[in-house]
Amino acid sequence: MAQADLLVDLVRNATSGDQLAFRKAAEGLIQEEKQKGHRLLAERLAKALQPNVAQARPSPTRPIGGAAQKELFYEITPERKLDSLVLPEKIRVQVQELIEEQHRSELLHAHNLNARSRVLLAGPPGNGKTTLAEALAFELMYPLIVIRYESLVGSYLGETSSRLKNVLDYARTQRCVLFFDEFETLGKERGDTHETGEIKRVVSSLLLQLDEMPDYVVVVAASNHPELLDRAVWRRFQLRIELPTPTRRQLTQYIDSIAKRCSVNFGYEAETIAKHLLGLNFAEVEEFCLGVVRRAVLDLKTEDAQQITKLKLEQWKGRLRPAVKRTEVVEREQEGTNS
């Protein structure tokens, strides 16, 4: 039955109170979504159809697949929305365009065009590359498959290439977002004289595999050191995004969003806290804010956590972290003031 007819039956049976017919129509819709490859959406619909009983929440990450695959990746159900991320507008627009292309891929196919499906994210650690990949998967309603390098990279000749092929073969069976963190591990420059022939063979195999991936598999690669990537690797990615260290204005917005999400009054303006934390990445700022939130909850001071925030700021001044050049901090300060 066409999806439109299933939806009409679903609404009709729901309004008439015919539970048996309603469930039959809903199950038909779920089956159709499975056949289209919309596995995550089908799972959500099936879960919504289940009786509303208290259940233990499953672990957000779990290794899956066959015996030869299950240790090579994790499949994660994404939970972060794109709107929850603090992104420069030009990056947000690019991501939204890719999402639209994926959602309307059938129209593009009718014109002999493919939806863009390969994204390269670059930038220092903690600036949101992994989070952006998760948000992309959430908006697409695709599962997020994360590669496990500790199991993927083997010590024997051809072992890594073979395992990589197994993972990509599995990804091709469904609509998904396939995420490679620290992508320079696999896509390193083949001209590097210090690298072994095995690594060069892995890169060559990876390039061939990427070329053969269908456009319904969105490949997202993240790298802290994009300068190490092979030049041929760059060409495979249609969308290349740099996520720089956040400006003061971005940190202000991010701190304010955490305060609202956690229902905690930090006792200081978000902009003031951002000034003290300028130079940190999003991950570090989130950890600072959650540290204040934890203490405020335990001390029953969520309505006014000013003293806790003040104490945490003093503690963070002496916190061990990578040195940031003063010139970089000044540049970010100026950028945040001018934006």
Side-chain angles (χ1 to χ4, degrees):
M1 185 182 294
Q3 187 180 56
D5 295 331
L6 285 170
L7 290 173
V8 170
D9 287 346
L10 199 65
V11 174
R12 182 187 299 116
N13 296 326
T15 54
S16 66
D18 189 342
Q19 290 295 319
L20 183 61
F22 173 82
R23 174 171 287 275
K24 184 177 179 180
E27 290 174 347
L29 181 61
I30 292 170
Q31 186 61 34
E32 182 168 323
E33 293 302 324
K34 286 182 179 179
Q35 292 173 354
K36 288 181 178 180
H38 300 164
R39 192 165 62 83
L40 183 57
L41 175 58
E43 289 177 356
R44 288 182 175 178
L45 288 171
K47 184 177 180 180
L49 195 60
Q50 294 174 357
N52 186 21
V53 295
Q55 295 179 346
R57 184 175 180 179
S59 173
T61 60
R62 56 185 176 90
I64 63 170
Q69 298 171 333
K70 65 179 182 179
E71 299 298 331
L72 302 179
F73 57 88
Y74 282 115
E75 182 172 324
I76 300 173
T77 300
E79 297 180 353
R80 293 223 187 200
K81 298 181 180 180
L82 185 63
D83 290 343
S84 68
L85 274 57
V86 178
L87 295 171
E89 187 59 25
K90 61 181 180 180
I91 293 179
R92 187 179 299 275
V93 169
Q94 292 180 79
V95 175
Q96 288 173 336
E97 287 178 349
L98 183 141
I99 292 170
E100 182 184 7
E101 290 177 19
Q102 285 289 321
H103 283 318
R104 307 180 68 187
S105 59
E106 292 182 3
L107 177 59
L108 294 175
H109 293 165
H111 290 77
N112 295 320
L113 296 170
N114 290 327
R116 286 179 295 176
S117 59
R118 293 191 291 273
V119 184
L120 177 62
L121 304 177
N127 288 343
K129 297 186 291 296
T130 302
T131 305
L132 181 54
E134 181 182 354
L136 178 60
F138 181 92
E139 299 298 332
L140 291 172
M141 292 188 293
Y142 293 175
L144 178 65
I145 296 177
V146 182
I147 302 299
R148 299 178 59 190
Y149 291 119
E150 71 275 15
S151 301
L152 182 70
V153 178
S155 57
Y156 297 104
L157 183 65
E159 192 173 23
T160 301
S161 296
S162 177
R163 291 174 177 175
L164 179 62
K165 184 178 184 301
N166 286 337
V167 174
L168 298 183
D169 284 345
Y170 173 77
R172 289 189 187 93
T173 65
Q174 61 186 312
R175 296 177 182 272
C176 64
V177 173
L178 183 62
F179 182 57
F180 293 86
D181 199 6
E182 299 182 5
F183 192 57
E184 63 274 7
T185 303
L186 292 179
K188 200 168 184 181
E189 172 63 55
R190 285 172 292 182
D192 189 343
T193 57
H194 298 289
E195 290 299 338
T196 64
E198 173 65 4
I199 292 297
K200 296 177 182 180
R201 282 188 289 271
V202 170
V203 175
S204 298
S205 175
L206 173 64
L207 296 178
L208 292 173
Q209 293 287 333
L210 288 179
D211 288 338
E212 295 175 359
M213 294 298 286
D215 67 351
Y216 58 78
V217 176
V218 179
V219 179
V220 180
S223 176
N224 300 330
H225 301 283
E227 70 279 0
L228 299 179
L229 295 177
D230 190 272
R231 284 169 291 181
V233 169
W234 284 86
R235 185 174 64 80
R236 265 65 182 189
F237 291 91
Q238 304 129 326
L239 193 58
R240 306 168 190 170
I241 297 175
E242 181 180 7
L243 295 173
T245 301
T247 64
R248 179 174 171 180
R249 182 176 180 179
Q250 290 173 324
L251 289 183
T252 299
Q253 184 179 351
Y254 191 57
I255 293 167
D256 188 53
S257 69
I258 295 175
K260 291 178 180 178
R261 186 179 78 225
C262 299
S263 300
V264 171
N265 176 14
F266 289 130
Y268 291 90
E269 293 293 333
E271 185 176 2
T272 302
I273 301 175
K275 181 179 179 180
H276 286 282
L277 301 181
L278 187 63
L280 301 183
N281 56 49
F282 283 120
E284 292 174 314
V285 171
E286 181 177 38
E287 181 55 37
F288 169 83
C289 291
L290 292 181
V292 175
V293 171
R294 292 188 195 98
R295 196 66 260 163
V297 169
L298 293 174
D299 292 350
L300 304 179
K301 293 183 178 180
T302 55
E303 295 183 0
D304 185 5
Q306 184 178 28
Q307 292 301 318
I308 297 174
T309 304
K310 181 179 179 181
L311 175 62
K312 293 296 181 182
L313 284 172
E314 292 175 355
Q315 293 175 347
W316 272 66
K317 285 181 182 179
R319 185 173 184 258
L320 182 63
R321 64 177 187 267
V324 178
K325 294 180 180 178
R326 176 61 186 168
T327 54
E328 294 178 359
V329 175
V330 172
E331 289 173 359
R332 285 194 288 270
E333 174 73 33
Q334 294 174 344
E335 183 180 352
T337 302
N338 295 333
S339 58

